[in-house]
mmCIF file of all heavy atoms in Angstrom:
data_model
loop_
_atom_site.group_PDB
_atom_site.id
_atom_site.type_symbol
_atom_site.label_atom_id
_atom_site.label_comp_id
_atom_site.label_asym_id
_atom_site.label_seq_id
_atom_site.Cartn_x
_atom_site.Cartn_y
_atom_site.Cartn_z
ATOM 1 N N GLN A 267 44.579 78.523 161.031
ATOM 2 C CA GLN A 267 43.723 78.046 162.123
ATOM 3 C C GLN A 267 43.083 76.725 161.715
ATOM 4 O O GLN A 267 42.887 76.458 160.532
ATOM 5 C CB GLN A 267 42.592 79.056 162.394
ATOM 6 C CG GLN A 267 43.048 80.453 162.782
ATOM 7 C CD GLN A 267 43.591 80.531 164.200
ATOM 8 O OE1 GLN A 267 43.245 79.697 165.040
ATOM 9 N NE2 GLN A 267 44.437 81.507 164.462
ATOM 10 N N ALA A 268 42.757 75.907 162.713
ATOM 11 C CA ALA A 268 41.978 74.690 162.453
ATOM 12 C C ALA A 268 41.022 74.506 163.620
ATOM 13 O O ALA A 268 41.372 74.790 164.767
ATOM 14 C CB ALA A 268 42.901 73.482 162.330
ATOM 15 N N THR A 269 39.810 74.053 163.338
ATOM 16 C CA THR A 269 38.836 73.823 164.406
ATOM 17 C C THR A 269 38.779 72.333 164.709
ATOM 18 O O THR A 269 38.567 71.523 163.802
ATOM 19 C CB THR A 269 37.437 74.299 163.948
ATOM 20 O OG1 THR A 269 37.560 75.669 163.572
ATOM 21 C CG2 THR A 269 36.412 74.165 165.060
ATOM 22 N N LEU A 270 39.006 71.973 165.966
ATOM 23 C CA LEU A 270 38.961 70.569 166.365
ATOM 24 C C LEU A 270 37.797 70.357 167.320
ATOM 25 O O LEU A 270 37.352 71.293 167.995
ATOM 26 C CB LEU A 270 40.270 70.160 167.049
ATOM 27 C CG LEU A 270 41.540 70.331 166.226
ATOM 28 C CD1 LEU A 270 42.758 69.909 167.033
ATOM 29 C CD2 LEU A 270 41.472 69.521 164.937
ATOM 30 N N ASN A 271 37.353 69.121 167.400
ATOM 31 C CA ASN A 271 36.242 68.795 168.278
ATOM 32 C C ASN A 271 36.786 68.122 169.543
ATOM 33 O O ASN A 271 37.190 66.958 169.509
ATOM 34 C CB ASN A 271 35.293 67.849 167.524
ATOM 35 C CG ASN A 271 34.094 67.456 168.359
ATOM 36 O OD1 ASN A 271 34.133 67.522 169.588
ATOM 37 N ND2 ASN A 271 33.032 67.038 167.697
ATOM 38 N N PRO A 272 36.823 68.847 170.682
ATOM 39 C CA PRO A 272 37.409 68.272 171.907
ATOM 40 C C PRO A 272 36.725 66.977 172.334
ATOM 41 O O PRO A 272 37.377 66.074 172.860
ATOM 42 C CB PRO A 272 37.206 69.371 172.955
ATOM 43 C CG PRO A 272 37.026 70.619 172.172
ATOM 44 C CD PRO A 272 36.374 70.221 170.887
ATOM 45 N N PHE A 273 35.405 66.876 172.096
ATOM 46 C CA PHE A 273 34.701 65.654 172.493
ATOM 47 C C PHE A 273 35.266 64.443 171.746
ATOM 48 O O PHE A 273 35.467 63.376 172.326
ATOM 49 C CB PHE A 273 33.192 65.786 172.227
ATOM 50 C CG PHE A 273 32.430 64.555 172.641
ATOM 51 C CD1 PHE A 273 32.109 64.339 173.981
ATOM 52 C CD2 PHE A 273 32.067 63.586 171.705
ATOM 53 C CE1 PHE A 273 31.433 63.182 174.375
ATOM 54 C CE2 PHE A 273 31.398 62.430 172.096
ATOM 55 C CZ PHE A 273 31.078 62.228 173.434
ATOM 56 N N GLN A 274 35.563 64.662 170.455
ATOM 57 C CA GLN A 274 36.119 63.577 169.640
ATOM 58 C C GLN A 274 37.507 63.158 170.172
ATOM 59 O O GLN A 274 37.822 61.974 170.254
ATOM 60 C CB GLN A 274 36.242 64.068 168.197
ATOM 61 C CG GLN A 274 36.442 62.984 167.189
ATOM 62 C CD GLN A 274 36.611 63.558 165.787
ATOM 63 O OE1 GLN A 274 37.202 64.618 165.595
ATOM 64 N NE2 GLN A 274 36.083 62.859 164.811
ATOM 65 N N ILE A 275 38.293 64.159 170.561
ATOM 66 C CA ILE A 275 39.634 63.861 171.089
ATOM 67 C C ILE A 275 39.514 63.061 172.387
ATOM 68 O O ILE A 275 40.223 62.084 172.615
ATOM 69 C CB ILE A 275 40.427 65.170 171.317
ATOM 70 C CG1 ILE A 275 40.671 65.866 169.970
ATOM 71 C CG2 ILE A 275 41.761 64.900 172.008
ATOM 72 C CD1 ILE A 275 41.226 67.268 170.073
ATOM 73 N N TYR A 276 38.559 63.469 173.233
ATOM 74 C CA TYR A 276 38.315 62.771 174.506
ATOM 75 C C TYR A 276 37.807 61.351 174.256
ATOM 76 O O TYR A 276 38.359 60.373 174.743
ATOM 77 C CB TYR A 276 37.309 63.586 175.334
ATOM 78 C CG TYR A 276 36.356 62.758 176.147
ATOM 79 C CD1 TYR A 276 36.757 62.188 177.364
ATOM 80 C CD2 TYR A 276 35.049 62.516 175.706
ATOM 81 C CE1 TYR A 276 35.881 61.403 178.099
ATOM 82 C CE2 TYR A 276 34.178 61.733 176.434
ATOM 83 C CZ TYR A 276 34.596 61.172 177.632
ATOM 84 O OH TYR A 276 33.740 60.389 178.354
ATOM 85 N N GLN A 277 36.770 61.267 173.430
ATOM 86 C CA GLN A 277 36.103 59.980 173.252
ATOM 87 C C GLN A 277 37.011 58.948 172.583
ATOM 88 O O GLN A 277 37.061 57.793 172.993
ATOM 89 C CB GLN A 277 34.841 60.186 172.408
ATOM 90 C CG GLN A 277 33.960 58.948 172.364
ATOM 91 C CD GLN A 277 32.931 59.040 171.257
ATOM 92 O OE1 GLN A 277 33.193 59.598 170.189
ATOM 93 N NE2 GLN A 277 31.752 58.518 171.515
ATOM 94 N N LYS A 278 37.765 59.396 171.575
ATOM 95 C CA LYS A 278 38.622 58.448 170.846
ATOM 96 C C LYS A 278 40.023 58.349 171.453
ATOM 97 O O LYS A 278 40.862 57.604 170.963
ATOM 98 C CB LYS A 278 38.734 58.878 169.374
ATOM 99 C CG LYS A 278 37.441 58.692 168.578
ATOM 100 C CD LYS A 278 37.561 59.377 167.225
ATOM 101 C CE LYS A 278 37.620 58.407 166.085
ATOM 102 N NZ LYS A 278 37.663 59.087 164.771
ATOM 103 N N GLU A 279 40.252 59.093 172.507
ATOM 104 C CA GLU A 279 41.581 59.146 173.148
ATOM 105 C C GLU A 279 42.670 59.396 172.106
ATOM 106 O O GLU A 279 43.617 58.621 171.945
ATOM 107 C CB GLU A 279 41.861 57.867 173.949
ATOM 108 C CG GLU A 279 40.949 57.733 175.147
ATOM 109 C CD GLU A 279 41.439 56.705 176.157
ATOM 110 O OE1 GLU A 279 41.878 55.622 175.744
ATOM 111 O OE2 GLU A 279 41.382 56.997 177.365
ATOM 112 N N LEU A 280 42.506 60.493 171.387
ATOM 113 C CA LEU A 280 43.463 60.830 170.333
ATOM 114 C C LEU A 280 44.683 61.529 170.923
ATOM 115 O O LEU A 280 44.590 62.189 171.960
ATOM 116 C CB LEU A 280 42.802 61.750 169.301
ATOM 117 C CG LEU A 280 41.539 61.210 168.628
ATOM 118 C CD1 LEU A 280 40.999 62.227 167.626
ATOM 119 C CD2 LEU A 280 41.805 59.871 167.941
ATOM 120 N N THR A 281 45.803 61.379 170.255
ATOM 121 C CA THR A 281 47.031 62.075 170.657
ATOM 122 C C THR A 281 47.452 62.997 169.524
ATOM 123 O O THR A 281 47.511 62.563 168.368
ATOM 124 C CB THR A 281 48.162 61.058 170.920
ATOM 125 O OG1 THR A 281 47.703 60.110 171.877
ATOM 126 C CG2 THR A 281 49.416 61.738 171.440
ATOM 127 N N ILE A 282 47.740 64.243 169.858
ATOM 128 C CA ILE A 282 48.223 65.188 168.840
ATOM 129 C C ILE A 282 49.663 65.558 169.187
ATOM 130 O O ILE A 282 49.947 65.984 170.314
ATOM 131 C CB ILE A 282 47.313 66.429 168.777
ATOM 132 C CG1 ILE A 282 45.944 65.974 168.263
ATOM 133 C CG2 ILE A 282 47.908 67.507 167.868
ATOM 134 C CD1 ILE A 282 44.875 67.010 168.289
ATOM 135 N N ILE A 283 50.555 65.328 168.232
ATOM 136 C CA ILE A 283 51.989 65.490 168.505
ATOM 137 C C ILE A 283 52.562 66.568 167.593
ATOM 138 O O ILE A 283 52.510 66.454 166.364
ATOM 139 C CB ILE A 283 52.734 64.152 168.254
ATOM 140 C CG1 ILE A 283 52.140 63.050 169.142
ATOM 141 C CG2 ILE A 283 54.230 64.301 168.495
ATOM 142 C CD1 ILE A 283 52.580 61.653 168.745
ATOM 143 N N GLY A 284 53.116 67.616 168.189
ATOM 144 C CA GLY A 284 53.791 68.658 167.408
ATOM 145 C C GLY A 284 55.271 68.323 167.282
ATOM 146 O O GLY A 284 55.857 67.741 168.199
ATOM 147 N N ILE A 285 55.850 68.669 166.146
ATOM 148 C CA ILE A 285 57.275 68.376 165.925
ATOM 149 C C ILE A 285 57.982 69.678 165.554
ATOM 150 O O ILE A 285 57.584 70.350 164.605
ATOM 151 C CB ILE A 285 57.483 67.395 164.742
ATOM 152 C CG1 ILE A 285 56.525 66.204 164.809
ATOM 153 C CG2 ILE A 285 58.951 66.960 164.661
ATOM 154 C CD1 ILE A 285 56.772 65.233 165.888
ATOM 155 N N ASN A 286 59.028 69.998 166.293
ATOM 156 C CA ASN A 286 59.758 71.234 166.038
ATOM 157 C C ASN A 286 61.253 70.933 165.887
ATOM 158 O O ASN A 286 61.909 70.524 166.839
ATOM 159 C CB ASN A 286 59.508 72.198 167.210
ATOM 160 C CG ASN A 286 60.021 73.586 166.946
ATOM 161 O OD1 ASN A 286 60.820 73.789 166.036
ATOM 162 N ND2 ASN A 286 59.577 74.543 167.732
ATOM 163 N N ILE A 287 61.751 71.100 164.735
ATOM 164 C CA ILE A 287 63.153 70.883 164.305
ATOM 165 C C ILE A 287 63.788 69.584 164.814
ATOM 166 O O ILE A 287 63.118 68.547 164.828
ATOM 167 C CB ILE A 287 64.034 72.144 164.462
ATOM 168 C CG1 ILE A 287 64.123 72.639 165.895
ATOM 169 C CG2 ILE A 287 63.550 73.228 163.531
ATOM 170 C CD1 ILE A 287 65.148 73.772 166.081
ATOM 171 N N ASN A 288 65.045 69.624 165.260
ATOM 172 C CA ASN A 288 65.835 68.383 165.246
ATOM 173 C C ASN A 288 66.760 68.156 166.441
ATOM 174 O O ASN A 288 67.913 67.777 166.255
ATOM 175 C CB ASN A 288 66.692 68.395 163.979
ATOM 176 C CG ASN A 288 67.674 69.564 163.985
ATOM 177 O OD1 ASN A 288 67.526 70.492 164.787
ATOM 178 N ND2 ASN A 288 68.673 69.529 163.138
ATOM 179 N N PRO A 289 66.317 68.373 167.687
ATOM 180 C CA PRO A 289 67.275 68.235 168.791
ATOM 181 C C PRO A 289 67.899 66.841 168.874
ATOM 182 O O PRO A 289 67.190 65.835 168.827
ATOM 183 C CB PRO A 289 66.416 68.519 170.029
ATOM 184 C CG PRO A 289 65.014 68.230 169.592
ATOM 185 C CD PRO A 289 64.951 68.597 168.149
ATOM 186 N N PHE A 290 69.206 66.797 168.991
ATOM 187 C CA PHE A 290 69.972 65.552 169.187
ATOM 188 C C PHE A 290 69.685 64.496 168.111
ATOM 189 O O PHE A 290 69.839 63.306 168.358
ATOM 190 C CB PHE A 290 69.685 64.958 170.576
ATOM 191 C CG PHE A 290 69.964 65.901 171.703
ATOM 192 C CD1 PHE A 290 68.934 66.424 172.474
ATOM 193 C CD2 PHE A 290 71.267 66.289 171.986
ATOM 194 C CE1 PHE A 290 69.193 67.313 173.511
ATOM 195 C CE2 PHE A 290 71.537 67.177 173.023
ATOM 196 C CZ PHE A 290 70.495 67.684 173.784
ATOM 197 N N SER A 291 69.255 64.905 166.947
ATOM 198 C CA SER A 291 68.804 63.935 165.945
ATOM 199 C C SER A 291 69.776 63.741 164.790
ATOM 200 O O SER A 291 69.540 62.907 163.926
ATOM 201 C CB SER A 291 67.454 64.378 165.363
ATOM 202 O OG SER A 291 66.540 64.592 166.391
ATOM 203 N N PHE A 292 70.846 64.534 164.749
ATOM 204 C CA PHE A 292 71.758 64.431 163.603
ATOM 205 C C PHE A 292 72.447 63.061 163.502
ATOM 206 O O PHE A 292 72.501 62.486 162.415
ATOM 207 C CB PHE A 292 72.793 65.566 163.643
ATOM 208 C CG PHE A 292 72.784 66.396 162.395
ATOM 209 C CD1 PHE A 292 71.738 67.268 162.135
ATOM 210 C CD2 PHE A 292 73.802 66.299 161.464
ATOM 211 C CE1 PHE A 292 71.710 68.027 160.975
ATOM 212 C CE2 PHE A 292 73.789 67.050 160.303
ATOM 213 C CZ PHE A 292 72.744 67.920 160.056
ATOM 214 N N PRO A 293 72.963 62.520 164.623
ATOM 215 C CA PRO A 293 73.600 61.198 164.497
ATOM 216 C C PRO A 293 72.625 60.150 163.971
ATOM 217 O O PRO A 293 72.982 59.297 163.160
ATOM 218 C CB PRO A 293 74.036 60.882 165.937
ATOM 219 C CG PRO A 293 74.170 62.218 166.588
ATOM 220 C CD PRO A 293 73.096 63.072 165.972
ATOM 221 N N ASN A 294 71.376 60.243 164.426
ATOM 222 C CA ASN A 294 70.345 59.319 163.974
ATOM 223 C C ASN A 294 70.113 59.460 162.463
ATOM 224 O O ASN A 294 70.028 58.467 161.719
ATOM 225 C CB ASN A 294 69.057 59.625 164.748
ATOM 226 C CG ASN A 294 68.037 58.515 164.681
ATOM 227 O OD1 ASN A 294 66.931 58.681 165.127
ATOM 228 N ND2 ASN A 294 68.378 57.382 164.117
ATOM 229 N N ALA A 295 70.045 60.713 161.997
ATOM 230 C CA ALA A 295 69.813 60.956 160.567
ATOM 231 C C ALA A 295 70.966 60.393 159.739
ATOM 232 O O ALA A 295 70.752 59.781 158.684
ATOM 233 C CB ALA A 295 69.665 62.456 160.313
ATOM 234 N N ILE A 296 72.186 60.586 160.220
ATOM 235 C CA ILE A 296 73.350 60.059 159.492
ATOM 236 C C ILE A 296 73.268 58.525 159.432
ATOM 237 O O ILE A 296 73.521 57.911 158.396
ATOM 238 C CB ILE A 296 74.663 60.558 160.150
ATOM 239 C CG1 ILE A 296 74.819 62.060 159.869
ATOM 240 C CG2 ILE A 296 75.879 59.781 159.636
ATOM 241 C CD1 ILE A 296 75.958 62.737 160.602
ATOM 242 N N GLY A 297 72.857 57.924 160.554
ATOM 243 C CA GLY A 297 72.690 56.462 160.577
ATOM 244 C C GLY A 297 71.639 56.002 159.581
ATOM 245 O O GLY A 297 71.826 55.017 158.862
ATOM 246 N N TRP A 298 70.541 56.721 159.503
ATOM 247 C CA TRP A 298 69.471 56.359 158.559
ATOM 248 C C TRP A 298 69.960 56.451 157.120
ATOM 249 O O TRP A 298 69.728 55.555 156.319
ATOM 250 C CB TRP A 298 68.287 57.321 158.705
ATOM 251 C CG TRP A 298 67.355 57.016 159.819
ATOM 252 C CD1 TRP A 298 67.462 56.020 160.738
ATOM 253 C CD2 TRP A 298 66.158 57.732 160.132
ATOM 254 N NE1 TRP A 298 66.411 56.083 161.612
ATOM 255 C CE2 TRP A 298 65.599 57.112 161.265
ATOM 256 C CE3 TRP A 298 65.521 58.833 159.578
ATOM 257 C CZ2 TRP A 298 64.414 57.552 161.849
ATOM 258 C CZ3 TRP A 298 64.344 59.280 160.155
ATOM 259 C CH2 TRP A 298 63.797 58.647 161.281
ATOM 260 N N ILE A 299 70.617 57.575 156.802
ATOM 261 C CA ILE A 299 71.046 57.779 155.411
ATOM 262 C C ILE A 299 72.046 56.692 155.016
ATOM 263 O O ILE A 299 72.003 56.161 153.908
ATOM 264 C CB ILE A 299 71.632 59.197 155.223
ATOM 265 C CG1 ILE A 299 70.520 60.243 155.416
ATOM 266 C CG2 ILE A 299 72.259 59.360 153.845
ATOM 267 C CD1 ILE A 299 70.983 61.681 155.399
ATOM 268 N N LYS A 300 72.897 56.330 155.965
ATOM 269 C CA LYS A 300 73.861 55.257 155.701
ATOM 270 C C LYS A 300 73.112 53.943 155.432
ATOM 271 O O LYS A 300 73.451 53.194 154.521
ATOM 272 C CB LYS A 300 74.769 55.127 156.927
ATOM 273 C CG LYS A 300 76.007 54.320 156.709
ATOM 274 C CD LYS A 300 76.909 54.472 157.930
ATOM 275 C CE LYS A 300 77.847 53.300 158.046
ATOM 276 N NZ LYS A 300 78.690 53.384 159.236
ATOM 277 N N ALA A 301 72.090 53.683 156.232
ATOM 278 C CA ALA A 301 71.318 52.444 156.055
ATOM 279 C C ALA A 301 70.499 52.484 154.764
ATOM 280 O O ALA A 301 70.326 51.469 154.097
ATOM 281 C CB ALA A 301 70.395 52.237 157.252
#
Side-chain angles (χ1 to χ4, degrees):
Q267 301 286 336
T269 304
L270 301 179
N271 180 338
F273 181 80
Q274 196 182 36
I275 295 170
Y276 144 79
Q277 190 195 35
K278 290 169 111 177
E279 293 196 317
L280 303 180
T281 305
I282 294 173
I283 302 167
I285 314 290
N286 190 344
I287 60 172
N288 63 345
F290 304 111
S291 306
F292 237 72
N294 197 188
I296 289 172
W298 278 3
I299 294 174
K300 194 171 156 182

